[in-house]
Amino acid sequence: MAGRSRRSTAEILLSAAYQRSSTIVESNQEKDAANELFWRFNPVERLDAETLRDSILAVSGDLDAKMGGPAKPLDAENLRRAIYGEVERTSPDRTMTLFDFPDPKSHSEERSVTVGPLHRLYFLNNPFVIAQSEVFAKRLEAEAGDDWSKRIALAYQLAFSRPPTPDETQAGLAFVETEPWPRYTQMLLAASEFFSVR
């Protein structure tokens, strides 16, 4: 099994797709500026920990935008922007460190950016994300009513700043036929498109 895994990894690393450059080639740029034919790599930057937390609260409609005041722990009860979060040097917030928050005990010139399976597990299992998914679902119901297509359109507008494609609308309608709305909104929050800088 280990040999098979190494062989698969080698195939990926040696593939033409993996080795694509993000450098702009003028002749290709003229023919395919949107990179629909994938002639170059599209670098994607992940949101930092604070922006990600604030974005989840903003999309759900639960963000307390009040300015100023004392710092408080970034727990589920704290709905304020992360800039007002309490940072403890001896025991930093676990969610913040998961998303590469700098170590408060030492100097950090630049944040490292990692992407790993724990990020996906965070969106699947974290009580904060689950609670905000429920608030997000209630917001969709309150603002878009009983028309499920309108709810999906609003969800995409709030989460991704764009309307859904017809295929995405159909997939969403099929999903909510069998699953509750909070599961659907949690799935949108867990999408790469949500926690990437575009």
Short mmCIF file of all heavy atoms in Angstrom, two decimals, residues 29-87:
data_model
loop_
_atom_site.label_atom_id
_atom_site.label_comp_id
_atom_site.label_asym_id
_atom_site.label_seq_id
_atom_site.Cartn_x
_atom_site.Cartn_y
_atom_site.Cartn_z
N GLN A 29 -2.13 34.62 -22.98
CA GLN A 29 -3.01 35.60 -22.34
C GLN A 29 -3.97 36.20 -23.35
O GLN A 29 -5.15 36.41 -23.06
CB GLN A 29 -2.16 36.69 -21.68
CG GLN A 29 -2.94 37.75 -20.94
CD GLN A 29 -3.55 37.26 -19.64
OE1 GLN A 29 -3.22 36.18 -19.15
NE2 GLN A 29 -4.46 38.02 -19.11
N GLU A 30 -3.47 36.47 -24.56
CA GLU A 30 -4.33 37.04 -25.61
C GLU A 30 -5.41 36.06 -26.04
O GLU A 30 -6.54 36.45 -26.29
CB GLU A 30 -3.48 37.44 -26.82
CG GLU A 30 -2.57 38.62 -26.56
CD GLU A 30 -1.57 38.84 -27.69
OE1 GLU A 30 -1.72 38.22 -28.75
OE2 GLU A 30 -0.63 39.64 -27.48
N LYS A 31 -5.08 34.78 -26.10
CA LYS A 31 -6.04 33.76 -26.55
C LYS A 31 -7.02 33.34 -25.46
O LYS A 31 -8.18 33.04 -25.75
CB LYS A 31 -5.29 32.52 -27.04
CG LYS A 31 -4.44 32.75 -28.25
CD LYS A 31 -3.63 31.51 -28.58
CE LYS A 31 -2.60 31.78 -29.65
NZ LYS A 31 -1.70 30.65 -29.84
N ASP A 32 -6.54 33.30 -24.20
CA ASP A 32 -7.37 32.77 -23.11
C ASP A 32 -7.06 33.52 -21.81
O ASP A 32 -6.44 32.98 -20.90
CB ASP A 32 -7.10 31.26 -22.95
CG ASP A 32 -7.93 30.61 -21.86
OD1 ASP A 32 -9.02 31.15 -21.53
OD2 ASP A 32 -7.51 29.58 -21.33
N ALA A 33 -7.52 34.77 -21.75
CA ALA A 33 -7.22 35.61 -20.58
C ALA A 33 -7.83 35.05 -19.29
O ALA A 33 -7.28 35.21 -18.21
CB ALA A 33 -7.72 37.03 -20.82
N ALA A 34 -8.97 34.38 -19.39
CA ALA A 34 -9.65 33.85 -18.19
C ALA A 34 -9.07 32.52 -17.74
O ALA A 34 -9.50 31.96 -16.73
CB ALA A 34 -11.14 33.68 -18.48
N ASN A 35 -8.10 31.99 -18.49
CA ASN A 35 -7.46 30.72 -18.16
C ASN A 35 -8.45 29.55 -18.13
O ASN A 35 -8.34 28.64 -17.31
CB ASN A 35 -6.70 30.82 -16.83
CG ASN A 35 -5.74 29.68 -16.63
OD1 ASN A 35 -5.21 29.12 -17.59
ND2 ASN A 35 -5.52 29.28 -15.39
N GLU A 36 -9.42 29.57 -19.02
CA GLU A 36 -10.41 28.49 -19.09
C GLU A 36 -9.80 27.19 -19.58
O GLU A 36 -10.33 26.11 -19.31
CB GLU A 36 -11.57 28.91 -20.00
CG GLU A 36 -12.40 30.04 -19.39
CD GLU A 36 -13.50 30.53 -20.31
OE1 GLU A 36 -13.59 30.05 -21.46
OE2 GLU A 36 -14.27 31.41 -19.87
N LEU A 37 -8.67 27.28 -20.29
CA LEU A 37 -8.00 26.07 -20.79
C LEU A 37 -6.86 25.63 -19.87
O LEU A 37 -6.13 24.71 -20.20
CB LEU A 37 -7.47 26.32 -22.21
CG LEU A 37 -8.54 26.67 -23.25
CD1 LEU A 37 -7.90 27.02 -24.58
CD2 LEU A 37 -9.53 25.53 -23.41
N PHE A 38 -6.74 26.29 -18.73
CA PHE A 38 -5.75 25.93 -17.70
C PHE A 38 -4.32 25.88 -18.24
O PHE A 38 -3.58 24.95 -18.00
CB PHE A 38 -6.12 24.59 -17.04
CG PHE A 38 -7.48 24.60 -16.41
CD1 PHE A 38 -8.52 23.90 -16.98
CD2 PHE A 38 -7.71 25.34 -15.27
CE1 PHE A 38 -9.78 23.93 -16.41
CE2 PHE A 38 -8.97 25.37 -14.69
CZ PHE A 38 -10.01 24.66 -15.27
N TRP A 39 -3.90 26.91 -18.96
CA TRP A 39 -2.54 26.97 -19.48
C TRP A 39 -1.55 27.48 -18.43
O TRP A 39 -0.35 27.41 -18.60
CB TRP A 39 -2.47 27.85 -20.73
CG TRP A 39 -2.97 29.25 -20.55
CD1 TRP A 39 -4.25 29.68 -20.72
CD2 TRP A 39 -2.21 30.39 -20.17
NE1 TRP A 39 -4.35 31.03 -20.45
CE2 TRP A 39 -3.10 31.50 -20.11
CE3 TRP A 39 -0.87 30.62 -19.86
CZ2 TRP A 39 -2.70 32.77 -19.78
CZ3 TRP A 39 -0.47 31.90 -19.52
CH2 TRP A 39 -1.38 32.95 -19.48
N ARG A 40 -2.09 28.00 -17.31
CA ARG A 40 -1.22 28.44 -16.22
C ARG A 40 -1.88 28.08 -14.90
O ARG A 40 -3.07 27.80 -14.82
CB ARG A 40 -0.94 29.93 -16.28
CG ARG A 40 -2.16 30.80 -16.08
CD ARG A 40 -1.79 32.29 -16.11
NE ARG A 40 -2.95 33.12 -16.28
CZ ARG A 40 -3.74 33.52 -15.29
NH1 ARG A 40 -3.48 33.17 -14.05
NH2 ARG A 40 -4.79 34.28 -15.53
N PHE A 41 -1.09 28.12 -13.83
CA PHE A 41 -1.59 27.86 -12.49
C PHE A 41 -2.27 29.10 -11.95
O PHE A 41 -1.75 30.20 -12.11
CB PHE A 41 -0.41 27.45 -11.59
CG PHE A 41 -0.75 27.38 -10.13
CD1 PHE A 41 -1.55 26.35 -9.65
CD2 PHE A 41 -0.29 28.32 -9.25
CE1 PHE A 41 -1.88 26.27 -8.31
CE2 PHE A 41 -0.60 28.25 -7.90
CZ PHE A 41 -1.40 27.23 -7.43
N ASN A 42 -3.43 28.94 -11.35
CA ASN A 42 -4.12 30.05 -10.71
C ASN A 42 -3.84 30.01 -9.20
O ASN A 42 -4.43 29.20 -8.49
CB ASN A 42 -5.64 29.96 -10.91
CG ASN A 42 -6.05 30.36 -12.30
OD1 ASN A 42 -5.43 31.20 -12.92
ND2 ASN A 42 -7.12 29.76 -12.79
N PRO A 43 -2.94 30.85 -8.70
CA PRO A 43 -2.65 30.79 -7.27
C PRO A 43 -3.86 31.26 -6.45
O PRO A 43 -4.53 32.21 -6.82
CB PRO A 43 -1.47 31.75 -7.09
CG PRO A 43 -1.50 32.62 -8.29
CD PRO A 43 -2.16 31.86 -9.39
N VAL A 44 -4.15 30.55 -5.38
CA VAL A 44 -5.28 30.87 -4.52
C VAL A 44 -4.74 31.12 -3.11
O VAL A 44 -4.04 30.29 -2.55
CB VAL A 44 -6.30 29.71 -4.50
CG1 VAL A 44 -7.45 30.03 -3.56
CG2 VAL A 44 -6.82 29.42 -5.90
N GLU A 45 -5.07 32.26 -2.57
CA GLU A 45 -4.62 32.61 -1.22
C GLU A 45 -5.76 32.35 -0.23
O GLU A 45 -6.91 32.71 -0.49
CB GLU A 45 -4.23 34.08 -1.19
CG GLU A 45 -3.62 34.53 0.10
CD GLU A 45 -3.24 36.00 0.08
OE1 GLU A 45 -3.09 36.57 -1.01
OE2 GLU A 45 -3.12 36.57 1.17
N ARG A 46 -5.46 31.72 0.88
CA ARG A 46 -6.45 31.41 1.90
C ARG A 46 -6.61 32.60 2.84
O ARG A 46 -5.66 33.32 3.11
CB ARG A 46 -6.03 30.16 2.68
CG ARG A 46 -7.06 29.69 3.67
CD ARG A 46 -6.66 28.42 4.37
NE ARG A 46 -5.32 28.37 4.90
CZ ARG A 46 -4.91 28.97 6.01
NH1 ARG A 46 -5.72 29.70 6.71
NH2 ARG A 46 -3.67 28.83 6.42
N LEU A 47 -7.84 32.81 3.33
CA LEU A 47 -8.09 33.86 4.31
C LEU A 47 -7.32 33.56 5.59
O LEU A 47 -7.16 32.41 5.98
CB LEU A 47 -9.58 33.93 4.64
CG LEU A 47 -10.54 34.38 3.54
CD1 LEU A 47 -11.97 34.29 4.04
CD2 LEU A 47 -10.22 35.79 3.09
N ASP A 48 -6.87 34.61 6.26
CA ASP A 48 -6.22 34.40 7.55
C ASP A 48 -7.29 34.07 8.60
O ASP A 48 -8.49 34.20 8.35
CB ASP A 48 -5.38 35.61 7.95
CG ASP A 48 -6.20 36.88 8.09
OD1 ASP A 48 -7.22 36.87 8.79
OD2 ASP A 48 -5.80 37.90 7.50
N ALA A 49 -6.85 33.65 9.77
CA ALA A 49 -7.75 33.16 10.81
C ALA A 49 -8.79 34.20 11.22
O ALA A 49 -9.98 33.87 11.34
CB ALA A 49 -6.93 32.73 12.02
N GLU A 50 -8.37 35.43 11.42
CA GLU A 50 -9.29 36.45 11.89
C GLU A 50 -10.34 36.79 10.83
O GLU A 50 -11.52 36.92 11.14
CB GLU A 50 -8.53 37.73 12.26
CG GLU A 50 -7.49 37.55 13.34
CD GLU A 50 -6.10 37.28 12.81
OE1 GLU A 50 -5.96 36.60 11.77
OE2 GLU A 50 -5.13 37.74 13.43
N THR A 51 -9.89 36.95 9.59
CA THR A 51 -10.81 37.28 8.51
C THR A 51 -11.80 36.15 8.27
O THR A 51 -12.98 36.40 8.00
CB THR A 51 -10.03 37.60 7.22
OG1 THR A 51 -9.04 38.58 7.50
CG2 THR A 51 -10.95 38.11 6.13
N LEU A 52 -11.33 34.92 8.37
CA LEU A 52 -12.21 33.77 8.19
C LEU A 52 -13.32 33.76 9.25
O LEU A 52 -14.50 33.59 8.94
CB LEU A 52 -11.41 32.47 8.25
CG LEU A 52 -12.20 31.18 8.10
CD1 LEU A 52 -12.91 31.13 6.76
CD2 LEU A 52 -11.29 29.98 8.27
N ARG A 53 -12.94 33.95 10.50
CA ARG A 53 -13.93 33.98 11.59
C ARG A 53 -14.94 35.11 11.37
O ARG A 53 -16.15 34.91 11.49
CB ARG A 53 -13.22 34.14 12.93
CG ARG A 53 -14.18 34.10 14.12
CD ARG A 53 -13.41 34.29 15.43
NE ARG A 53 -14.29 34.10 16.56
CZ ARG A 53 -15.13 35.03 17.02
NH1 ARG A 53 -15.19 36.21 16.44
NH2 ARG A 53 -15.89 34.77 18.07
N ASP A 54 -14.43 36.30 11.04
CA ASP A 54 -15.32 37.45 10.80
C ASP A 54 -16.24 37.19 9.61
O ASP A 54 -17.41 37.58 9.64
CB ASP A 54 -14.50 38.71 10.55
CG ASP A 54 -13.75 39.19 11.79
OD1 ASP A 54 -13.96 38.63 12.88
OD2 ASP A 54 -12.94 40.12 11.65
N SER A 55 -15.73 36.53 8.58
CA SER A 55 -16.54 36.23 7.39
C SER A 55 -17.68 35.28 7.71
O SER A 55 -18.80 35.45 7.22
CB SER A 55 -15.66 35.65 6.28
OG SER A 55 -14.71 36.57 5.87
N ILE A 56 -17.40 34.27 8.53
CA ILE A 56 -18.45 33.32 8.92
C ILE A 56 -19.56 34.06 9.66
O ILE A 56 -20.75 33.87 9.38
CB ILE A 56 -17.87 32.18 9.79
CG1 ILE A 56 -16.96 31.29 8.94
CG2 ILE A 56 -18.98 31.36 10.44
CD1 ILE A 56 -16.17 30.26 9.74
N LEU A 57 -19.18 34.94 10.59
CA LEU A 57 -20.17 35.71 11.35
C LEU A 57 -20.93 36.68 10.45
O LEU A 57 -22.14 36.86 10.60
CB LEU A 57 -19.49 36.47 12.49
CG LEU A 57 -19.00 35.62 13.66
CD1 LEU A 57 -18.09 36.43 14.57
CD2 LEU A 57 -20.16 35.04 14.43
N ALA A 58 -20.25 37.31 9.51
CA ALA A 58 -20.89 38.28 8.61
C ALA A 58 -21.91 37.60 7.70
O ALA A 58 -23.02 38.10 7.52
CB ALA A 58 -19.85 39.01 7.78
N VAL A 59 -21.54 36.45 7.15
CA VAL A 59 -22.43 35.74 6.23
C VAL A 59 -23.67 35.24 6.97
O VAL A 59 -24.79 35.30 6.45
CB VAL A 59 -21.67 34.58 5.55
CG1 VAL A 59 -22.62 33.61 4.90
CG2 VAL A 59 -20.70 35.13 4.52
N SER A 60 -23.49 34.78 8.19
CA SER A 60 -24.63 34.27 8.94
C SER A 60 -25.53 35.42 9.41
O SER A 60 -26.69 35.21 9.75
CB SER A 60 -24.16 33.46 10.15
OG SER A 60 -23.61 34.31 11.14
N GLY A 61 -24.99 36.64 9.44
CA GLY A 61 -25.75 37.79 9.92
C GLY A 61 -25.60 37.99 11.42
O GLY A 61 -26.32 38.80 12.02
N ASP A 62 -24.67 37.29 12.04
CA ASP A 62 -24.49 37.33 13.49
C ASP A 62 -23.35 38.24 13.94
O ASP A 62 -23.11 38.36 15.14
CB ASP A 62 -24.20 35.90 13.99
CG ASP A 62 -25.14 35.47 15.09
OD1 ASP A 62 -26.06 36.24 15.42
OD2 ASP A 62 -24.96 34.36 15.62
N LEU A 63 -22.66 38.89 13.02
CA LEU A 63 -21.50 39.71 13.38
C LEU A 63 -21.93 40.97 14.12
O LEU A 63 -22.77 41.73 13.66
CB LEU A 63 -20.71 40.10 12.13
CG LEU A 63 -19.46 40.94 12.35
CD1 LEU A 63 -18.40 40.14 13.11
CD2 LEU A 63 -18.90 41.42 11.03
N ASP A 64 -21.36 41.18 15.30
CA ASP A 64 -21.57 42.40 16.09
C ASP A 64 -20.50 43.39 15.64
O ASP A 64 -19.33 43.23 15.97
CB ASP A 64 -21.46 42.07 17.57
CG ASP A 64 -21.62 43.30 18.46
OD1 ASP A 64 -21.79 44.42 17.93
OD2 ASP A 64 -21.56 43.14 19.69
N ALA A 65 -20.88 44.40 14.90
CA ALA A 65 -19.92 45.35 14.31
C ALA A 65 -19.58 46.52 15.23
O ALA A 65 -18.92 47.47 14.80
CB ALA A 65 -20.46 45.86 12.99
N LYS A 66 -20.02 46.47 16.48
CA LYS A 66 -19.73 47.56 17.42
C LYS A 66 -18.22 47.76 17.55
O LYS A 66 -17.48 46.79 17.64
CB LYS A 66 -20.33 47.23 18.79
CG LYS A 66 -20.21 48.36 19.80
CD LYS A 66 -20.84 47.97 21.12
CE LYS A 66 -19.81 47.19 21.93
NZ LYS A 66 -20.22 46.84 23.26
N MET A 67 -17.79 49.01 17.55
CA MET A 67 -16.36 49.31 17.63
C MET A 67 -15.96 49.63 19.06
O MET A 67 -16.74 50.15 19.83
CB MET A 67 -16.02 50.47 16.70
CG MET A 67 -16.24 50.14 15.25
SD MET A 67 -15.89 51.51 14.15
CE MET A 67 -14.14 51.65 14.35
N GLY A 68 -14.69 49.29 19.39
CA GLY A 68 -14.14 49.60 20.70
C GLY A 68 -14.58 48.62 21.77
O GLY A 68 -15.37 47.72 21.54
N GLY A 69 -14.02 48.81 22.96
CA GLY A 69 -14.38 47.95 24.08
C GLY A 69 -13.27 46.99 24.44
O GLY A 69 -12.26 46.87 23.75
N PRO A 70 -13.46 46.28 25.56
CA PRO A 70 -12.42 45.37 26.04
C PRO A 70 -12.31 44.11 25.19
O PRO A 70 -13.28 43.70 24.54
CB PRO A 70 -12.88 45.02 27.46
CG PRO A 70 -14.37 45.17 27.41
CD PRO A 70 -14.63 46.28 26.44
N ALA A 71 -11.13 43.50 25.22
CA ALA A 71 -10.92 42.24 24.51
C ALA A 71 -11.58 41.11 25.29
O ALA A 71 -11.61 41.12 26.52
CB ALA A 71 -9.43 41.97 24.37
N LYS A 72 -12.12 40.13 24.55
CA LYS A 72 -12.76 38.97 25.17
C LYS A 72 -12.31 37.71 24.44
O LYS A 72 -11.90 37.78 23.27
CB LYS A 72 -14.28 39.10 25.09
CG LYS A 72 -14.83 40.24 25.91
CD LYS A 72 -16.34 40.27 25.85
CE LYS A 72 -16.87 41.42 26.69
NZ LYS A 72 -18.32 41.54 26.60
N PRO A 73 -12.38 36.55 25.09
CA PRO A 73 -12.00 35.31 24.42
C PRO A 73 -12.84 35.08 23.16
O PRO A 73 -14.02 35.44 23.12
CB PRO A 73 -12.29 34.23 25.46
CG PRO A 73 -12.30 34.94 26.77
CD PRO A 73 -12.78 36.33 26.49
N LEU A 74 -12.24 34.49 22.15
CA LEU A 74 -12.94 34.23 20.89
C LEU A 74 -13.72 32.91 20.98
O LEU A 74 -13.49 31.99 20.22
CB LEU A 74 -11.95 34.20 19.73
CG LEU A 74 -11.31 35.53 19.39
CD1 LEU A 74 -10.22 35.35 18.35
CD2 LEU A 74 -12.34 36.53 18.92
N ASP A 75 -14.67 32.87 21.90
CA ASP A 75 -15.49 31.68 22.05
C ASP A 75 -16.80 31.86 21.27
O ASP A 75 -17.00 32.86 20.59
CB ASP A 75 -15.75 31.38 23.53
CG ASP A 75 -16.33 32.57 24.28
OD1 ASP A 75 -16.91 33.47 23.63
OD2 ASP A 75 -16.21 32.61 25.51
N ALA A 76 -17.69 30.89 21.38
CA ALA A 76 -18.94 30.90 20.62
C ALA A 76 -19.85 32.06 21.02
O ALA A 76 -20.68 32.50 20.22
CB ALA A 76 -19.67 29.57 20.79
N GLU A 77 -19.71 32.56 22.24
CA GLU A 77 -20.55 33.67 22.70
C GLU A 77 -20.07 35.02 22.18
O GLU A 77 -20.82 35.98 22.14
CB GLU A 77 -20.61 33.71 24.23
CG GLU A 77 -21.47 32.61 24.85
CD GLU A 77 -20.76 31.27 24.88
OE1 GLU A 77 -19.55 31.24 25.17
OE2 GLU A 77 -21.41 30.25 24.58
N ASN A 78 -18.81 35.10 21.82
CA ASN A 78 -18.23 36.36 21.34
C ASN A 78 -18.52 36.50 19.85
O ASN A 78 -17.93 35.80 19.03
CB ASN A 78 -16.73 36.38 21.61
CG ASN A 78 -16.11 37.71 21.26
OD1 ASN A 78 -16.76 38.60 20.72
ND2 ASN A 78 -14.83 37.84 21.56
N LEU A 79 -19.41 37.42 19.51
CA LEU A 79 -19.80 37.63 18.12
C LEU A 79 -19.17 38.89 17.53
O LEU A 79 -19.55 39.33 16.45
CB LEU A 79 -21.33 37.69 18.00
CG LEU A 79 -22.08 36.48 18.55
CD1 LEU A 79 -23.59 36.70 18.43
CD2 LEU A 79 -21.66 35.21 17.82
N ARG A 80 -18.19 39.44 18.23
CA ARG A 80 -17.52 40.63 17.74
C ARG A 80 -16.39 40.26 16.79
O ARG A 80 -15.97 39.11 16.72
CB ARG A 80 -16.98 41.43 18.93
CG ARG A 80 -18.14 41.81 19.86
CD ARG A 80 -17.82 42.89 20.81
NE ARG A 80 -17.46 44.10 20.09
CZ ARG A 80 -16.55 44.95 20.54
NH1 ARG A 80 -15.93 44.74 21.66
NH2 ARG A 80 -16.26 46.03 19.86
N ARG A 81 -15.88 41.25 16.07
CA ARG A 81 -14.76 41.01 15.15
C ARG A 81 -13.56 40.47 15.90
O ARG A 81 -13.33 40.79 17.07
CB ARG A 81 -14.40 42.31 14.42
CG ARG A 81 -15.50 42.75 13.46
CD ARG A 81 -15.15 44.02 12.72
NE ARG A 81 -13.87 43.89 12.06
CZ ARG A 81 -12.98 44.89 11.98
NH1 ARG A 81 -13.22 46.05 12.54
NH2 ARG A 81 -11.85 44.71 11.36
N ALA A 82 -12.78 39.65 15.22
CA ALA A 82 -11.63 38.99 15.84
C ALA A 82 -10.58 39.97 16.34
O ALA A 82 -9.81 39.63 17.23
CB ALA A 82 -11.01 38.00 14.86
N ILE A 83 -10.57 41.17 15.80
CA ILE A 83 -9.59 42.16 16.26
C ILE A 83 -9.80 42.49 17.74
O ILE A 83 -8.89 42.92 18.44
CB ILE A 83 -9.64 43.44 15.38
CG1 ILE A 83 -8.42 44.30 15.63
CG2 ILE A 83 -10.92 44.21 15.63
CD1 ILE A 83 -8.26 45.43 14.66
N TYR A 84 -11.01 42.26 18.25
CA TYR A 84 -11.31 42.49 19.66
C TYR A 84 -11.17 41.21 20.48
O TYR A 84 -11.63 41.15 21.61
CB TYR A 84 -12.72 43.07 19.81
CG TYR A 84 -12.88 44.40 19.11
CD1 TYR A 84 -13.68 44.51 17.98
CD2 TYR A 84 -12.20 45.53 19.55
CE1 TYR A 84 -13.82 45.73 17.32
CE2 TYR A 84 -12.33 46.74 18.90
CZ TYR A 84 -13.14 46.83 17.78
OH TYR A 84 -13.25 48.03 17.14
N GLY A 85 -10.55 40.20 19.92
CA GLY A 85 -10.36 38.94 20.63
C GLY A 85 -9.17 39.00 21.58
O GLY A 85 -8.18 39.67 21.31
N GLU A 86 -9.31 38.29 22.64
CA GLU A 86 -8.24 38.21 23.64
C GLU A 86 -7.19 37.20 23.17
O GLU A 86 -7.53 36.11 22.73
CB GLU A 86 -8.86 37.74 24.96
CG GLU A 86 -7.99 37.80 26.15
CD GLU A 86 -8.78 37.42 27.39
OE1 GLU A 86 -8.90 36.21 27.64
OE2 GLU A 86 -9.30 38.33 28.06
N VAL A 87 -5.92 37.59 23.24
CA VAL A 87 -4.82 36.69 22.85
C VAL A 87 -4.01 36.38 24.10
O VAL A 87 -3.41 37.28 24.68
CB VAL A 87 -3.93 37.34 21.76
CG1 VAL A 87 -2.75 36.43 21.43
CG2 VAL A 87 -4.74 37.64 20.52
#
